[in-house]
Amino acid sequence: GNSVTQMEGPVTLSEEAFLTINCTYTATGYPSLFWYVQYPGEGLQLLLKATKADDKGSNKGFEATYRKETTSFHLEKGSVQVSDSAVYFCALSVAGANNLFFGTGTRLTVIP
Amino acid sequence: EAGVAQSPRYKIIEKRQSVAFWCNPISGHATLYWYQQILGQGPKLLIQFQNNGVVDDSQLPKDRFSAERLKGVDSTLKIQPAKLEDSAVYLCASSLWGTDTYEQYFGPGTRLTVT
């Protein structure tokens, strides 16, 4: 089936620290991969995406590379800010299904 | 461009009562989704519409949940009767039909508390 396994949180980092949130997946077909972010009090927003192997998605200093050989899509940022505090969800979509399969989410708190 | 609108934002009901949620997708988005997000979990798809037809409702508890999308635009999700385990955030999302159907745009959600 289709599923996403995501690093459990919560994660607390100091400002300017390096961030990695691990995500691995299983899929019945050839998936597209996503990171969504949910800031406090707001709805889910697409952060970045990758639609084929070795693609790198990037946005707002965040990056993730689609690794087919390890079925992974880890989220990274070199220097986090307090404003990055949010819940991050890894997700996949398989062609023909269109709906998203989400991980359980990782809560990130960045302290000054 | 206006985003996905949902109402109400919060709702508290007692078990066995009924409740309805409303969603207005982004203009021109043919596909509409309802997700349930239980606290501490990722969103789970309940139902997917393509225009006003149902594409996938395999995860919808049909004995108590129903949804409709009249005229292929707005949608309502109803729970009757509600159970304690229905306490969750109900998210509506929409997407274009085409090459970017996987890029979904989410509303702010309706937080339901069943007591």
Side-chain angles (χ1 to χ4, degrees):
Chain A
N2 300 306
S3 66
V4 173
T5 301
Q6 195 173 333
M7 170 179 161
E8 291 193 15
V11 175
T12 302
L13 295 174
S14 297
E15 205 165 21
E16 299 183 2
F18 184 84
L19 169 71
T20 299
I21 301 177
N22 291 336
C23 172
T24 58
Y25 67 89
T26 59
T28 55
Y30 194 81
S32 295
L33 301 173
F34 310 86
W35 278 99
Y36 277 80
V37 59
Q38 191 170 33
Y39 297 105
E42 298 184 16
L44 280 164
Q45 303 174 24
L46 179 64
L47 179 60
L48 53 84
K49 66 184 180 189
T51 59
K52 60 183 187 293
D54 299 325
D55 269 2
K56 177 185 285 187
S58 61
N59 186 25
K60 300 182 180 180
F62 290 89
E63 294 182 340
T65 301
Y66 188 142
R67 301 289 188 198
K68 188 178 180 183
E69 63 276 14
T70 55
T71 62
S72 66
F73 192 56
H74 305 320
L75 182 68
E76 296 182 336
K77 186 174 185 181
S79 176
V80 292
Q81 306 300 312
V82 172
S83 57
D84 294 326
S85 297
V87 181
Y88 292 82
F89 292 91
C90 186
L92 70 84
S93 177
V94 178
N98 293 320
N99 58 297
L100 290 165
F101 296 87
F102 285 90
T104 55
T106 301
R107 180 176 298 277
L108 169 67
T109 301
V110 181
I111 55 177
Chain B
E1 179 181 79
V4 176
Q6 289 187 248
S7 67
R9 292 294 307 275
Y10 305 92
K11 190 73 176 179
I12 301 174
I13 62 172
E14 295 181 351
K15 59 184 180 185
R16 291 188 290 274
Q17 287 187 323
S18 62
V19 65
F21 313 128
W22 173 83
C23 173
N24 179 243
I26 292 174
S27 177
H29 281 196
T31 309
L32 185 146
Y33 313 80
W34 283 102
Y35 289 86
Q36 181 191 56
Q37 185 179 10
I38 294 173
L39 186 64
Q41 299 182 19
K44 183 188 77 173
L45 180 72
L46 291 175
I47 188 167
Q48 177 185 345
F49 291 94
Q50 175 65 19
N51 295 311
N52 60 353
V54 175
V55 174
D56 182 356
D57 63 355
S58 57
Q59 299 299 308
L60 189 73
K62 298 180 186 64
D63 57 334
R64 298 183 301 104
F65 286 66
S66 65
E68 61 181 5
R69 189 180 184 196
L70 299 176
K71 302 179 181 178
V73 182
D74 293 3
S75 177
T76 56
L77 176 69
K78 297 179 181 178
I79 307 175
Q80 181 179 12
K83 293 185 175 181
L84 294 176
E85 59 261 35
D86 298 332
S87 294
V89 176
Y90 290 85
L91 298 169
C92 180
S94 68
S95 67
L96 290 166
W97 183 252
T99 57
D100 287 335
T101 54
Y102 47 75
E103 187 157 346
Q104 298 181 20
Y105 297 82
F106 285 81
T110 296
R111 182 177 297 277
L112 173 67
T113 303
V114 182
T115 63

